[in-house]
Amino acid sequence: MSQVIDHPKNAAIFNKDAERVSWHDKALWHVREKRDVSAASIPEWEELRSLASQIKKHTLSKLDHYLLEFEAKASANGIKVHWAEDAEAHNQIVASILKEAKATQVVKSKSMLTEECGLNHHLEAQGVSIIDTDLGERIVQLAGEHPSHIVLPAIHKKKEEVSALFHEKLQTEKGNNDPDYLTKAARKHLREKFMKAEAAITGVNFAVAETGGFVVCTNEGNVDMGTNIAPIHIACMGIEKLIPKMEHLGVFLRLLARSATGQAITTYSSHFHRPRKGQQMHLILVDNKRTEQLNRPKFRASLNCIRCGACMNTCPIYRRSGGHSYEHIIPGPIGSILSPGKDLKKYSSLPFASTLCGSCSNVCPVKIDIHTQLYEWRQIIGKEQSLNKTKRKINQWTGTLMAKPKAFHGFGKIARTSLRILPDALINNPLNVWGKQRDLPEAPKESFLEWYKNNEQHES
């Protein structure tokens, strides 16, 4: 039986370091603000979002057709296409390709799919050296951790921690925290890995059914370094990454970088259509329960996700609890929709890691109704009794109270009065989780309903 993830407990651990919580929150909100500025510079931004959503919806409705079209075109281009039903099949395919070529030195660009499949551990167990070449990914790999964010994998680490890690693993100067120095040290270290690589593994951001080609977006050029040197290129792709035509690509490229970091476009959008002369190019199409999600009408739109991370940057819970608290490869709001589809019992706490404020849905470039789907999962989890006892009892009590209007309004009046007259020491007690890092707002003298009725009478 898989261990049940306890997000509140994990968040409490992250919250013990108040300074880290503060700068983690500010750093991600800064990215969110950059996204807002960038999006506002495009007059047709909302039209782009609607168009992207419609393209994705159409593609998912004919996914089998487009997958077969893509396979035929890619094969005709000289790409060897493989199909993997689950993570184990994916890992075995990669391992068999490397084994046949007797390749043991591998470089990998950032790929959340390979993280999802646990590819690194699988290959390392077989004696393969696999090096993540995205700087953030390499930092967490050296630290023996998973990424805490899908776009900013090491956002949870301070530069002092990176310096100490590089001193231990790469023999850099002790105490030298200069980001420029650390970046150059990482570049020198990775360049040696690129030169020795016998195979390069990449993810896929978008695959085009019409052409049989695919696109990988990076800011560091590490994909191009790996694939242009190594004699074998293995691309790993979730089946939902497909778009029908080349003319659709521009829509998503304009949305992706602006939503992720506020950039107009990623520095490198590398197109691959066929292997270069003398090179092997493999592409693995991975399901791993995506068709199960496709068959859930209320959650199907979650497969529209283009992995920009915008929902994480804006989520007040993610910003203050850290990506590792979710214990899922895709953390944050979108991960809290996807993870219950993988294992409802294990990830039953994640749909509750949200205020349901809707900010995640507002920034999603493909208009996924994230907060609505989080609410839907809560209903399912509640009905299947997967909640812990405390949360279940609170929900039952709250439901009973809210079903009796007189009792609810009476309780509200008592609570508002108590908050106004009781001393702070009593209100901010250990049971008041909210009060650990902030004061409660001043309680009003009347409820909204009372205010509305009073003002309605005045207006009439």
Side-chain angles (χ1 to χ4, degrees):
M1 180 180 173
S2 56
Q3 184 181 359
V4 176
I5 303 304
D6 190 338
H7 181 268
K9 182 180 177 181
N10 294 340
I13 294 171
F14 185 78
N15 275 236
K16 286 181 179 177
D17 189 340
E19 183 191 358
R20 186 185 298 274
V21 173
S22 179
W23 65 253
H24 189 267
D25 176 28
K26 290 179 181 176
L28 289 169
W29 186 250
H30 176 64
V31 180
R32 158 67 204 267
E33 289 180 320
K34 287 174 63 182
R35 171 263 173 209
D36 290 348
V37 171
S38 188
S41 69
I42 306 295
E44 68 275 24
W45 181 255
E46 290 305 318
E47 285 77 7
L48 275 176
R49 290 179 70 210
S50 296
L51 183 56
S53 178
Q54 291 166 16
I55 293 170
K56 280 289 187 178
K57 183 178 180 181
H58 167 79
T59 309
L60 291 176
S61 71
K62 297 178 179 295
L63 188 59
D64 53 344
H65 164 78
Y66 286 121
L67 283 170
L68 292 175
E69 180 184 0
F70 175 76
E71 180 189 30
K73 296 287 175 60
S75 299
N77 292 344
I79 301 174
K80 175 66 174 176
V81 180
H82 308 260
W83 297 82
E85 182 179 356
D86 53 26
E88 183 179 356
H90 164 266
N91 293 344
Q92 288 179 353
I93 291 169
V94 175
S96 65
I97 294 169
L98 297 176
K99 185 177 181 181
E100 185 176 348
K102 298 179 181 178
T104 58
Q105 304 293 317
V106 179
V107 290
K108 181 165 75 74
S109 72
K110 186 165 66 178
S111 162
M112 297 312 298
L113 176 63
T114 57
E115 292 284 343
E116 174 187 324
C117 295
L119 179 65
N120 283 21
H121 293 308
H122 183 82
L123 294 182
E124 287 164 355
Q126 299 185 31
V128 175
S129 169
I130 180 165
I131 304 296
D132 282 304
T133 57
D134 172 272
L135 179 54
E137 286 270 321
R138 186 57 179 150
I139 290 170
V140 294
Q141 186 183 32
L142 288 171
E145 300 174 357
H146 290 295
S148 67
H149 188 288
I150 60 175
V151 176
L152 310 162
I155 188 66
H156 60 289
K157 286 197 172 296
K158 301 176 182 178
K159 62 181 181 181
E160 292 80 7
E161 293 171 320
V162 175
S163 174
L165 182 69
F166 278 16
H167 172 67
E168 177 189 351
K169 303 290 185 180
L170 307 182
Q171 292 74 54
T172 55
E173 295 174 14
K174 187 175 183 179
N176 191 334
N177 305 329
D178 178 33
D180 185 53
Y181 166 74
L182 296 172
T183 303
K184 287 179 178 176
R187 183 180 298 166
K188 180 181 178 183
H189 159 72
L190 288 172
R191 188 172 294 271
E192 295 173 358
K193 303 298 181 184
F194 282 123
M195 298 305 292
K196 295 178 181 176
E198 298 165 310
I201 297 175
T202 72
V204 172
N205 287 92
F206 306 101
V208 184
E210 179 185 46
T211 66
F214 57 93
V215 178
V216 189
C217 303
T218 68
N219 277 323
E220 300 170 13
N222 50 316
V223 161
D224 300 88
M225 286 284 286
T227 57
N228 282 293
I229 295 175
I232 302 172
H233 177 185
I234 305 171
C236 306
M237 165 189 159
I239 56 176
E240 81 282 13
K241 293 295 181 69
L242 208 56
I243 57 175
K245 295 180 179 296
M246 197 66 179
E247 67 187 57
H248 300 146
L249 182 61
V251 175
F252 293 98
L253 291 181
R254 294 183 76 192
L255 289 167
L256 177 63
R258 288 183 171 88
S259 300
T261 60
Q263 295 170 252
I265 196 165
T266 46
T267 309
Y268 301 92
S269 297
S270 305
H271 294 241
F272 299 92
H273 288 92
R274 57 185 57 82
R276 68 176 187 273
K277 189 176 181 180
Q279 184 194 40
Q280 293 182 37
M281 184 177 288
H282 299 262
L283 189 140
I284 308 172
L285 292 160
V286 182
D287 184 334
N288 206 29
K289 295 195 174 184
R290 284 165 174 75
T291 49
E292 285 186 28
Q293 194 79 336
L294 189 65
N295 286 324
R296 298 183 181 109
K298 291 181 179 178
F299 304 105
R300 183 176 298 153
S302 63
L303 295 174
N304 290 357
C305 179
I306 58 173
R307 303 290 191 266
C308 67
C311 62
M312 298 167 200
N313 301 338
T314 199
C315 177
I317 302 298
Y318 175 89
R319 297 200 317 265
R320 295 178 178 85
S321 62
H324 287 158
S325 65
Y326 294 79
E327 293 194 61
H328 187 256
I329 296 304
I330 308 293
I334 186 65
S336 298
I337 297 173
L338 296 170
S339 54
K342 303 274 188 183
D343 189 330
L344 184 62
K345 180 73 175 177
K346 180 177 181 179
Y347 298 109
S348 60
S349 71
L350 298 191
F352 294 88
S354 169
T355 62
L356 297 185
C357 62
S359 184
C360 48
S361 301
N362 288 339
V363 300
C364 178
V366 285
K367 290 195 168 184
I368 302 173
D369 55 336
I370 299 175
H371 70 295
T372 305
Q373 294 186 40
L374 289 170
Y375 175 75
E376 292 289 352
W377 272 125
R378 291 186 185 188
Q379 307 307 303
I380 293 172
I381 292 166
K383 287 177 183 174
E384 296 193 5
Q385 299 293 304
S386 299
L387 292 174
N388 65 49
K389 289 182 180 178
T390 302
K391 195 180 289 287
R392 190 163 65 242
K393 285 294 180 186
I394 290 175
N395 283 353
Q396 288 173 349
W397 181 81
T398 305
T400 301
L401 181 66
M402 296 185 76
K404 298 177 180 177
K406 285 187 178 179
F408 178 74
H409 293 308
F411 177 81
K413 187 167 290 185
I414 293 171
R416 289 192 299 276
T417 304
S418 300
L419 288 173
R420 287 200 306 274
I421 64 175
L422 291 176
D424 287 344
L426 195 58
I427 294 174
N428 290 323
N429 60 63
L431 296 176
N432 179 8
V433 179
W434 177 275
K436 285 183 178 179
Q437 294 185 327
R438 78 211 86 178
D439 288 328
L440 287 167
E442 184 179 352
K445 292 183 179 178
E446 58 186 356
S447 68
F448 173 76
L449 182 60
E450 291 168 340
W451 175 89
Y452 181 79
K453 286 181 176 178
N454 289 335
N455 284 274
E456 186 181 43
Q457 289 172 355
H458 292 156
E459 288 180 6
S460 63

